[in-house]
Amino acid sequence: MNIWFGQKHISFAEILAGKWGEVDDYQRQILDFCQQWLGGQRVFVRHTSGSTGKPKPIELRREQMRASAMLTGQALGLQRGMAALIGMDCNYIAGTMMLVRGLEIGLEMHVVAPTRNPLLAIDDVGQIDWATCFSALVPLQVQAVLDDVVSAERFGRLHCVLIGGAAIGQGLLERLISAETPTLYHTYGMTETVSHIALRQLNGEAASERFIPLAGVELALDGRGCLTIRGPMTLGKLVVTNDLVELASDGSFVWLGRIDNVINSGGVKVNAEKVAAALSKVLGNDRVFVVGLPDAEWGEAVTGFVEGEPMQLPTLAGLSRYEKPKQIHFVAQFSLTSSGKVDRGATVRGVLDG
């Protein structure tokens, strides 16, 4: 098996031996990790993405990373000799786990530097076995891929794609649900659970609104109604989340939002995700988020942030007077974390300080 950087390919044996010749800094970081993995290193440190707080280092053990990789391979039907297209930053857990899946299952890995549209960055198109190739992307990347004719055609030839790292906006979701190929999965997980612990198929006959946990994952609710997780990828330890879910007896669940994204406006609890979804729908724009900002009258004022040019806001049907935003800010471009996710805190500060 090999890692491909464009036309250059390096076998797993050459990686272990450190025989990879001239490479750039990002490629060297990837090869260093792969060499450590192939050499049997037991502990690795990765940082959280920073999308829900300040990035922090997380120590992960080889056993839990391998368990996650093999369970994903089982769920997706990945087999030795298939291919993986890796366009996420491998310094963060989602990209790292793409490498681990490739190393453990035995996949031909095609790596491109992280960019908004990784399917346009490929210069070894003919080397990829598209019919057996799987990939993982964030929603922002998927949107860019589908908006380009060339990359959209390549996307349709993939075997399957994991989409995670953020909620999928309604407009993009509708496009994905109607896609015939590839098979698409929305993921649920975090760095602490070594990427995803559950998958929701978005298209095809098995499409569902519910996330299905990977084999061996035990889910429950704590006293707040938030999800708790225990499984092979947590080494049997309980992980307590701030995610509100509707949990069924079979372990499947619907994600409702984060408890720390609940806004107390005038004494009424408002779900920020619900308001953001309503805004996204009427504006036809998935680049939306909603937060509560301090307010003398309401305690917290429901406030929307929209990426794009200012426009007249249509009527927001289905929202109570407490849920309707008291103010909406249009921002030319959201601030992003180093892993490419929307940095809500920096975006809000930029607007308020401006």
Side-chain angles (χ1 to χ4, degrees):
M1 296 296 104
N2 303 279
I3 286 186
W4 294 75
F5 300 113
Q7 300 294 330
K8 180 184 179 73
H9 60 90
I10 308 167
S11 72
F12 289 4
E14 289 171 325
I15 293 172
L16 181 58
K19 298 179 179 178
W20 52 64
E22 186 175 347
V23 294
D24 64 32
D25 288 344
Y26 179 64
Q27 293 167 354
R28 182 174 298 279
Q29 291 169 6
I30 290 172
L31 292 168
D32 283 342
F33 171 83
C34 291
Q35 185 183 49
Q36 292 163 3
W37 185 271
L38 292 169
Q41 184 165 314
R42 309 304 303 177
V43 179
F44 300 85
V45 175
R46 284 294 181 263
H47 285 76
T48 58
S49 65
S51 59
T52 59
K54 184 178 180 180
K56 59 181 180 180
I58 299 287
E59 187 176 277
L60 301 172
R61 300 196 64 82
R62 183 185 187 89
E63 301 93 308
Q64 60 188 134
M65 298 169 78
R66 185 180 187 279
S68 174
M70 300 310 290
L71 288 172
T72 296
Q74 176 184 324
L76 301 181
L78 303 179
Q79 300 178 11
R80 181 176 179 81
M82 294 178 71
L85 174 61
I86 304 174
M88 302 180 79
D89 191 334
C90 293
N91 291 304
Y92 292 91
I93 192 62
T96 297
M97 287 309 299
M98 285 294 289
L99 295 175
V100 175
R101 293 169 198 136
L103 293 166
E104 284 295 307
I105 298 170
L107 306 175
E108 290 287 326
M109 293 187 280
H110 301 263
V111 180
V112 297
T115 180
R116 194 178 184 112
N117 189 340
L119 271 73
L120 283 184
I122 303 168
D123 56 9
D124 60 337
V125 175
Q127 303 288 349
I128 299 177
D129 182 1
W130 292 91
T132 70
C133 185
F134 99 105
S135 190
L137 303 168
V138 298
L140 180 64
Q141 290 177 312
V142 177
Q143 184 73 59
V145 166
L146 294 180
D147 286 344
D148 180 88
V149 174
V150 173
S151 58
E153 188 275 334
R154 293 175 181 175
F155 184 79
R157 293 161 60 191
L158 289 167
H159 172 64
C160 64
V161 178
L162 302 176
I163 305 172
I168 301 175
Q170 188 61 36
L172 177 58
L173 181 61
E174 291 173 359
R175 297 176 72 179
L176 299 176
I177 289 173
S178 63
E180 294 185 7
T181 56
T183 306
L184 303 168
Y185 298 90
H186 192 195
T187 66
Y188 172 85
M190 59 210 71
T191 305
E192 293 85 344
T193 60
V194 197
S195 78
H196 56 265
I197 56 92
L199 300 174
R200 169 195 170 201
Q201 188 167 329
L202 298 175
N203 61 341
E205 294 183 0
S208 172
E209 293 186 350
R210 309 189 71 84
F211 286 94
I212 310 299
L214 298 178
V217 173
E218 300 175 5
L219 304 178
L221 298 179
D222 66 9
R224 305 167 300 160
C226 291
L227 191 67
T228 66
I229 304 164
R230 192 192 305 270
M233 64 287 291
T234 71
L235 298 179
K237 297 178 181 178
L238 188 69
V239 174
V240 179
T241 77
N242 285 324
D243 291 316
L244 298 164
V245 304
E246 175 198 303
L247 182 64
S249 58
D250 63 359
S252 67
F253 64 91
V254 175
W255 184 78
L256 302 176
R258 290 182 58 85
I259 196 167
D260 45 2
N261 280 352
V262 173
I263 302 167
N264 189 335
S265 185
V268 176
K269 292 183 178 179
V270 175
N271 187 310
E273 274 83 15
K274 176 185 176 182
V275 180
L279 265 177
S280 176
K281 185 174 182 179
V282 299
L283 293 174
N285 182 353
D286 291 339
R287 303 284 284 173
V288 172
F289 69 86
V290 171
V291 298
L293 296 181
D295 183 85
E297 180 180 358
W298 295 90
E300 287 185 295
V302 178
T303 308
F305 290 81
V306 181
E307 185 177 79
E309 295 296 323
M311 61 180 293
Q312 186 67 36
L313 187 67
T315 302
L316 286 170
L319 297 180
S320 72
R321 71 186 187 95
Y322 294 98
E323 294 172 320
K324 291 180 179 178
K326 304 300 181 287
Q327 192 170 14
I328 296 176
H329 298 279
F330 289 87
V331 183
Q333 189 170 17
F334 287 159
S335 298
L336 301 178
T337 68
S338 55
S339 61
K341 298 181 182 181
V342 175
D343 189 330
R344 297 186 179 196
T347 300
V348 172
R349 288 193 297 272
V351 170
L352 298 183
D353 293 345

